[in-house]
């Protein structure tokens, strides 16, 4: 998993893989700082990352799989320090994460072998029930809008792309 963002005035790449999550200077191709590391009891593999702004600072949201860790974590992009407690509830690996806004609040959507969960980014609380439990697991996700309604597109290990409603249509301007 890779994403591009800006850090301290320069374009950077945040990557995730078997050796964890790292930040790279896009122009020089050099790694910046130390990797993101979580204190866990098992062998953790960070498999997915995305970036957003939260509480006025750039953050990385990561998903883990492997060992005893199937969590979503939020990290300060500049310091590499974890912000708050991890999002817990997945029983199997988290393969994809996206960040969006629903009903005026920032949310994280995470998906993997045990389905899709929506989390309030500020409180770390799960919103609603788990949905979309495919036979072979979620591999990728994207949030967009369809007919005024926020929707989640997912790719699965079984080769299917699915569309899920994330809520009611947004109110019309001026309402």
């Amino acid at each position: 998993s890779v994403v591009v963002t800006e850090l301290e005035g320069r374009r950077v790449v945040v990557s995730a893989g078997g050796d964890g999550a790292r930040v790279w200077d896009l122009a020089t191709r050099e790694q910046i700082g130390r990797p993101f590391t979580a204190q866990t009891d098992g062998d953790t593999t960070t498999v997915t990352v995305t970036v957003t702004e939260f509480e006025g600072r750039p953050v990385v949201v990561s998903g883990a799989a492997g060992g005893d860790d199937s969590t979503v974590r939020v990290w300060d992009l500049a310091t590499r320090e974890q912000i708050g407690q991890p999002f817990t509830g997945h029983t199997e690996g988290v393969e994809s994460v996206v960040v969006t806004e629903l009903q005026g609040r920032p949310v994280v959507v995470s998906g993997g072998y045990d389905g899709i969960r929506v989390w309030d980014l500020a409180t770390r609380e799960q919103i609603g029930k788990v949905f979309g439990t495919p036979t072979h697991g979620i591999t990728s996700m994207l949030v967009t809008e369809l007919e005024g309604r926020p929707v989640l597109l997912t790719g699965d290990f079984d080769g299917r792309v699915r569309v899920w409603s994330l809520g009611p249509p947004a109110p019309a301007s001026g309402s």
Side-chain angles (χ1 to χ4, degrees), residues 39-138:
Q39 301 299 319
T40 63
D41 294 334
D43 294 328
T44 298
T45 301
T46 301
V47 294
T48 182
V49 289
T50 192
V51 294
T52 192
E53 187 169 302
F54 182 64
E55 297 179 344
R57 61 185 164 185
V59 298
V60 172
V61 179
S62 68
D68 296 328
D69 192 6
S70 297
T71 60
V72 174
R73 296 174 187 269
V74 179
W75 308 87
D76 185 298
L77 178 59
T79 67
R80 311 292 190 281
E81 296 298 321
Q82 185 174 314
I83 301 170
Q85 294 298 310
F87 298 59
T88 58
H90 279 281
T91 58
E92 297 187 42
V94 179
E95 299 291 327
S96 188
V97 291
V98 293
V99 177
T100 191
E101 190 172 290
L102 294 177
Q103 300 176 339
R105 63 182 172 184
V107 298
V108 173
V109 183
S110 58
Y113 290 96
D114 65 343
I116 302 162
R117 297 169 189 268
V118 179
W119 310 88
D120 185 300
L121 182 56
T123 66
R124 308 287 198 276
E125 296 293 322
Q126 185 174 317
I127 301 168
K129 295 181 180 182
V130 177
F131 63 98
T133 52
T135 8
H136 298 98
I138 302 293

Side-chain angles (χ1 to χ4, degrees), residues 137-172:
I138 302 293
T139 61
S140 59
M141 300 187 302
L142 172 77
V143 174
T144 189
E145 191 173 286
L146 177 64
E147 299 174 352
R149 178 183 308 272
V151 295
L152 176 72
L153 284 81
T154 61
D156 305 333
F157 278 113
D158 59 7
R160 297 177 189 222
V161 174
R162 293 182 170 87
V163 180
W164 308 92
S165 174
L166 287 178

